[in-house]
Amino acid sequence: MAMILLPDINITSSHYIPWDFSDIQRKDLFCPKTCNASSDTSRTSQILEPTNVNSYDHKWCCCCYARTCYELVPPTCDAIITYLHLEYIGADGRSIILNDTKISSNFLKSRSVDGVMTSLPLNLMAYSNIISLEYSRNRILDISNISFLKDLNELILDNNLITHISNKTFCGLTNLRRITVSRNLIKTIDTNTFSHPELNIHYFDASYNKLTSIDATNLFLDNYFCEMNYNNNTIKGIVNQQHFRLDKNNTYATGLVSLASNALKYFPNLTEFGIEDYADIEKLVKIGLNLDVISNLDCDCSLVPYLTRVGSKALIDFFGYWEKLTCKTPQKFENMSIKDLYYNANMDDLVCDITEKCPSKCRCYDQQNREKLVINCTSLGLTELPDYLPEGMWGSKVELLLRNNSVTKLDQRNYIQRIQSLDLSGNNIASIDDTAVRMMNSDIHMLIPNNSLQTLPRSFKSLNPDNLEIGDAFLQCSCDFLWAENWHRYESQNRNNTLQCLYNGNRISVDLMSSALSECEKKDVTIPVPPPVIAIVSLTMLLAFLLILYFRFEVFVIYRRFRKYIRNKHYLDRDAFISVNELNSESFQWVLHDLEPFLRDDGYRTTIPWKDFELGNYRETETIKAIQRHKAYIVIVASSDNEDNDRNSIPALWADYEFNCIWKEFVSDSNKHVIVVNFDQVNSHNVSDRRLRALARVGKVADHCDREHKLPVKVRKLLVVLKFNPICCDGRLWVSFRGEEVADNWDNAHRLETKIRKRVSNLNT
C-alpha cells in the first residue's frame, strides 16, 4: 500500500482551513476543506486512498493531510525557513551544526543524506527551534533523547543502523507529527512509546526493519493517527507485555496499522486485551489493519469469535480486503478466503492444536465454537487414564476420548471435575473409584457401554442418569444397590433409558428391585436401643427443658456472673441511678438524708427521679434517658413494696417502671451492673417479680436482722467480687439494687454508709 501522505496533494492555501479540534495543542495546522465534506463521498474519495479505515471520518482525514502554516503556498504565517549546514569533526562520523550568527529566521531545517553520520549533531541542543531533521542514508546507531526540540515537526532517519526505540525518545515533542525510520535494524520498540498524552504523532514508518512483534500499547492509542507502517518486518503477532486491557468507557483513536508482508499466521486473540465479547470490536477497536495479501494464514479456532460474533461490516473495517486473506492450513480450507469462511465454513472444523502437556500420542485441540478442549486418545493401547491434561484457551470444558483402549479402572485424577464428556467405549471397566465420581460434574456425559461392573458406587446418585450410557450386563441386584431404584426412577426423565441388574439368573429393571428383594426390609428394621430407655431419656430431656424455662432468669443471672468472672473485666462509673418506692418512709428518708448526701459528698453524681427531673417534662422519657446514661443502679427494696394494697399506687407503679427499664439495660449491656440493697428482711418467695426473685436467689444477700456486725464483712466481700480496679476503671462506683450484687441494710444505716465510704476511699487511693 502506498504511503498515506501523498506528495502531490494540492497545498494551495485557499484549499485549507484551520484545524479546529480541541485535542490538538498546536494552532498552526490546516486541514483540506474536502476533509470536512464528510457527507460527500465522492469528494472525500478524491483525497483519501481506498483503505479499511472509515473514509468519512474527517478528523482522520485531517491527520493524514494536514499541513503547517509554512507548508502551504503561499504560507499563512510569517515563515522564513533556513537550512543549517553540518560539518564532520572526526573520522568516526561525529558532526556539528555550523554556527551562523546571521541566522534570523524563525524556522530551521537540518538535512544531510548519503553521509557517514554515526550520531545526531553534538551541538543540536543549541538549535531548539528546528522544525525538520532529515538524516537518511547515514550510519546513525541511536536516537538519543531529543525532547529539547520542542518545535520539531518531522524526523526522517531512513536507512541508518538504529536497533532500538525508547519510550522516552519522543517525550514532550508536542509538535512532532511525522517519524520515518524505515530500512534500519530496529528489533524492539518500547511499550507505551506513542501513548504519552501530549504526543500527536500522525505518521510513523518503521517498515523494512527486524521487528518480530508489536505491543498492544503501541497499537490502541488515545490520540488519532493516520498510519503506523510496520510493513516488511518479521512480525508474528501482537503481544501484551504490560497486560493492557481495553476500557469499555474509553474512546480509542482511529488510525490505520499496516502489517503487510510480515510473518503473521494468526489473527490476534482479543480476549487478551479485555474484549470478552467480540461484538464490542466495532465499538472499541477503531483501528484498521492493512494486511494487504496474506495467503499463509493458519485458519484455526482464533478465527471463530471473529466469524461468529462480528458483523461483516465491522470485519471489513478491521481487516480491510478480507477476500484477499486466504488460508494455508488446514488442508480443508486451503486457499479459502476469510470472506468465504464467514459465509460457508463449518465453525466446528476451526480448531487449535495444543502440544503443551498433551498426553503422549494423543491429539489435543481447542474447539472454540463449542468452547471446549478435546483430548483424543483413541486406540493407543492405554491401560489407565492420563495423568494430566492441558489447559484450554477458550474454556475449561473437556471432552476426553479414550475409545478402544485397555483401561480397566476409572480412578481419581485432578482434572476429573473439568470433564464434560468422557467416552470409555471399547474398554473393559471393572471398577470405578467413589472419589472420582464425587469429583465429577453432575451433568457429565459418560459412555461405558462395555464393562464388567457388578455394582456402581453410591456417589452415582449425584449424576444425571440420562447423560450416562452404562452397560449393565454384569450388574447384580442386591440390598446395597437398592439406592439405584429411586435414583433411576425419579432422576431420569428419559423412560427409554433403562438400567437392569441380575437377580436369580434373570434380568430385571432396577426400578423393580425393592419388590424382588423382600429380604432387604428385615435388615433395615433394627432398633439397637430398648423403648424404655428412649422413654426415660425423652422424659428427662423434657423435665430439663421445663426447669430451664421456669428458672430462666436465674440461669441468666448466673451466666452473667460467670461471664464477668471469666472476662475479669468490670467497669465502674462515678454516678448512680437510685430507685426507691416513695411510700416506704424509712427507706425513702434513708436515701434522701443519708445515702444520697454521702455519695454526693464523695463526688458521685446521683439521679433520683422525683428529685432531679425537671418539672414539666414527661417522666417516662426522662427515666429512660437517665437509665441509659448511667451504668450504675441502686435499687432499694423494702417489705411494703410487696404488699398487695400498695401495688397499684402511683409511687409503686413508677418503681416498677424504673425496674423494667433497669432490667432491660442490664440484659442488653454486660457492662452495666446492679447491686441490691435489702433494706428490710425480704424472703425471695415473697418477691412477686420473677426477675427480682431470681436475683435474690442467686445473689449475695445480707439480712436486715443480722446484729453481729457481719454485714460490713459481707459488703467488703461483695466489693471484692466486683473486682473494682481504680486504675482501669477510674475509681468509679457502680451501685444498683435489683441485680446480682446485694448488700443488705442492718440495724444502723450509718454503718452501711460508713462502709461504702471506706470502700470508695480505698478505691480512690
Side-chain angles (χ1 to χ4, degrees), residues 3 51 67 232 276 278 393 463 503 532-533 681 705 764:
M3 187 171 67
T51 67
R67 293 290 184 267
N232 296 96
E276 298 178 359
Y278 274 52
M393 294 187 298
L463 306 182
Y503 178 70
V533 176
Q681 184 181 2
C705 62
N764 291 334

Side-chain angles (χ1 to χ4, degrees), residues 503-518:
Y503 178 70
N504 292 335
N506 299 318
R507 300 185 59 78
I508 64 173
S509 172
V510 295
D511 296 351
L512 303 175
M513 272 197 299
S514 60
S515 58
L517 302 174
S518 57

